[in-house]
Amino acid sequence: MAFPSDLEIARGASLKPLAEVAASMGIGEHLLEPYGEQVAKVKLEAVAELADRPKAKYVVVSAITPTPLGEGKTTTTVGLGQAMRHIGKQATVAVRQPSMGPTFGIKGGAAGGGYSQVVPMEILNLHLTGDFHAVTAAHNLLSAVIDNHLNQGNELGLSLDDITWRRVLDVNDRALRNIVIGLGGKEDGVTRQTGFDITAASEVMAIFALATSLADLRARLGRVVVGYTKAGEPVTAEQLKAAGSMAVLMRDALKPNLLQTLENTPVLVHAGPFGNIAHGNSSILADLIGIHAGDFLITEAGFGADMGAERFFNIKCRNSGLTPDAAVVVATVRALKAHSGKHRIVAGRPLPEALLAENPDEVHVGGANLRKQIENIKLHGVTPVVAINAFPTDHPSEWEAIAEIAASMGARSAVCQHFSKGGAGATELAEAVAEAADEPSRFEMLYPDDMALRDKIAAVATRVYGADGVSYSPQAARQIDRYEAAGFGNLPVCIAKTHLSISSDASLKGAPTGWTLPVREVRASVGAGFIYPICGDMRTMPGLGSNPAAFSIDLDADGGVEWRMPRASRSVARLRITRIS
């Protein structure tokens, strides 16, 4: 009998009323704002109301460097949250909201998978409560104000060649990366070159994720730098008188969204900064609520430990003041074999037959990547646990190889089958995480605020990525000098690079050495509170592939969502979520 599709599993979910889910977190119904029957926003008053309660153990879920297919990090996060109940613990899960660009592009959604999903799946992946639209609207309002300011005489003296604020949309659309606006007559605006980023790469999205209150959000929006004068002076959203209106558009979005897993574990879904472009973590406000809502708060950081976890430690925790108690590193046999350099995995194509053959020695060769990612967790004084995410094509000897690698690094490990068995399949992982979280925390950040920007970039490049050093284009060097002269040198760094390698070259597998990190450009996200070096050929607006997931999504005759899964049978799954009181 074929294993059911994710949507077929989600269709059979028995959801509890959200008031019951919230009550399990200690959140009263008076703090909920329902969005239909299956989603609610949690009022920000919950932060203060829960603040006196005991703190949960704080666990971040990261991974080895993933293949293009992903290694099941969200699925593991959800499965671990569900598994905590099986060992007598109350957990809350906190994850990002999926961007509709990748949802309609290559990913087809990001709600977990199998029997470890956040539901309702189609609501989570498509619009949810409109938070992304609010980010898009606030960002583009500032864009409109900038161009109107230019058209009205440019009182602040913005240099047309030095405007850094672009526009955003929540789509994958490569044709918008570089555009010319203001074509036409004088009334059609000032002609200049600009472009679009995806909404998940917007600084407003990063601000949204890092804000600790509505007042903090408003202040951060005011600090946004949109460009510079010919004299090199920064011009802010506050000076353009746009920050107040932007904050109004973001007011409701700032309230975290409450959903649940297939096993009714509470899930806070909030914000969606990209993991290889922005800092790749869900909101601080969701964590400030979830940290007082049970025994464990389990959150996820984008991509490998060199990316999302590094930014979790050095950007998110720096802003939130919360201290992690343990970290999970998700590893799969197929990814570690790929990191041996002997196989090529391509999204949308069958796995190479040689990769599926039993070969624990190949796992050990690719295990260099796992060892480096464990090291990256330990570098911050956090106890790692390796989650061996099991696939049906794996062999037990290969799981043993991963366990041996983990043990050689002094890390616990557990084989997990949460995809096929839900929380019951991750109880061994839950026990290991609980043990790790009970150990004394020695958390420390990689660098202090007052370190020079080049030294901060070098610290991440050499200690986390394993590079020999950093090279800067002339443009990047000038930009760093400008930011330090403007007083932005105390900010942390958020390095945008490929997620498919620890290095900046996606073709380099394992744990590459003997290379130099090439910084092409450096942007300043002053409102969000970080400096943003861009390495190699990183794009801030993705494109669609030849067969995007959008081709497989439609409405059925009853108005439900139809999602054709990429399976040999080409079966159609229709999502029907029912709530059982």
Side-chain angles (χ1 to χ4, degrees), residues 279-362:
H279 69 286
N281 282 264
S282 58
S283 81
I284 285 176
L285 278 167
D287 286 1
L288 291 177
I289 292 169
I291 200 70
H292 296 289
D295 301 311
F296 283 85
L297 172 59
I298 301 165
T299 190
E300 175 191 358
F303 296 120
D306 58 306
M307 301 195 71
E310 182 272 314
R311 296 161 187 176
F312 171 83
F313 297 138
N314 294 298
I315 297 177
K316 187 176 182 181
C317 292
R318 195 182 298 264
N319 281 268
S320 71
L322 298 178
T323 300
D325 295 289
V328 174
V329 180
V330 179
T332 62
V333 166
R334 68 183 188 185
L336 290 177
K337 285 184 173 180
H339 280 293
S340 72
K342 298 179 180 179
H343 307 282
R344 185 167 177 260
I345 298 177
V346 180
R349 296 183 187 176
L351 292 172
E353 287 188 16
L355 183 138
L356 302 179
E358 184 173 7
N359 195 335
D361 291 340
E362 211 165 70

Side-chain angles (χ1 to χ4, degrees), residues 451-511:
M451 181 181 280
L453 288 177
R454 284 178 176 82
D455 292 338
K456 290 174 183 174
I457 296 168
V460 177
T462 59
R463 299 184 68 192
V464 176
Y465 304 161
D468 285 349
V470 184
S471 66
Y472 297 92
S473 71
Q475 176 191 19
R478 288 192 302 270
Q479 288 165 330
I480 288 179
D481 292 341
R482 165 192 278 177
Y483 300 148
E484 291 191 324
F488 307 151
N490 65 323
L491 298 177
V493 294
C494 181
I495 300 176
K497 71 172 187 69
T498 179
H499 60 286
L500 297 174
S501 172
I502 294 181
S503 75
S504 58
D505 182 347
S507 68
L508 298 180
K509 303 305 178 185

Side-chain angles (χ1 to χ4, degrees), residues 317-406:
C317 292
R318 195 182 298 264
N319 281 268
S320 71
L322 298 178
T323 300
D325 295 289
V328 174
V329 180
V330 179
T332 62
V333 166
R334 68 183 188 185
L336 290 177
K337 285 184 173 180
H339 280 293
S340 72
K342 298 179 180 179
H343 307 282
R344 185 167 177 260
I345 298 177
V346 180
R349 296 183 187 176
L351 292 172
E353 287 188 16
L355 183 138
L356 302 179
E358 184 173 7
N359 195 335
D361 291 340
E362 211 165 70
V363 174
H364 276 287
V365 174
N369 187 272
L370 174 57
R371 285 190 287 272
K372 184 68 179 87
Q373 300 293 27
I374 292 173
E375 180 184 300
N376 288 337
I377 298 297
K378 288 187 166 186
L379 190 62
H380 295 88
V382 179
T383 304
V385 177
V386 176
I388 305 170
N389 188 14
F391 282 72
T393 53
D394 298 342
H395 302 274
S397 64
E398 296 169 330
W399 296 335
E400 291 172 11
I402 298 177
E404 288 168 6
I405 295 166

Side-chain angles (χ1 to χ4, degrees), residues 21-32 42-56 92 256 258 266 268 284-294 297 322:
V21 176
S24 72
M25 304 167 67
I27 294 175
E29 197 167 356
H30 65 287
L31 293 171
L32 300 182
V42 182
K43 297 177 183 178
L44 296 185
E45 289 82 357
V47 175
E49 194 165 308
L50 301 177
D52 291 336
R53 297 184 185 179
K55 278 189 176 180
T92 298
L258 177 63
L268 293 167
I284 285 176
L285 278 167
D287 286 1
L288 291 177
I289 292 169
I291 200 70
H292 296 289
L297 172 59
L322 298 178

Side-chain angles (χ1 to χ4, degrees), residues 201 277-278 492-496 521-525 530-534 540:
I277 295 171
V493 294
C494 181
I495 300 176
E521 177 187 353
V522 183
R523 300 181 187 177
S525 294
F530 54 73
I531 300 298
Y532 174 13
I534 301 176
T540 52

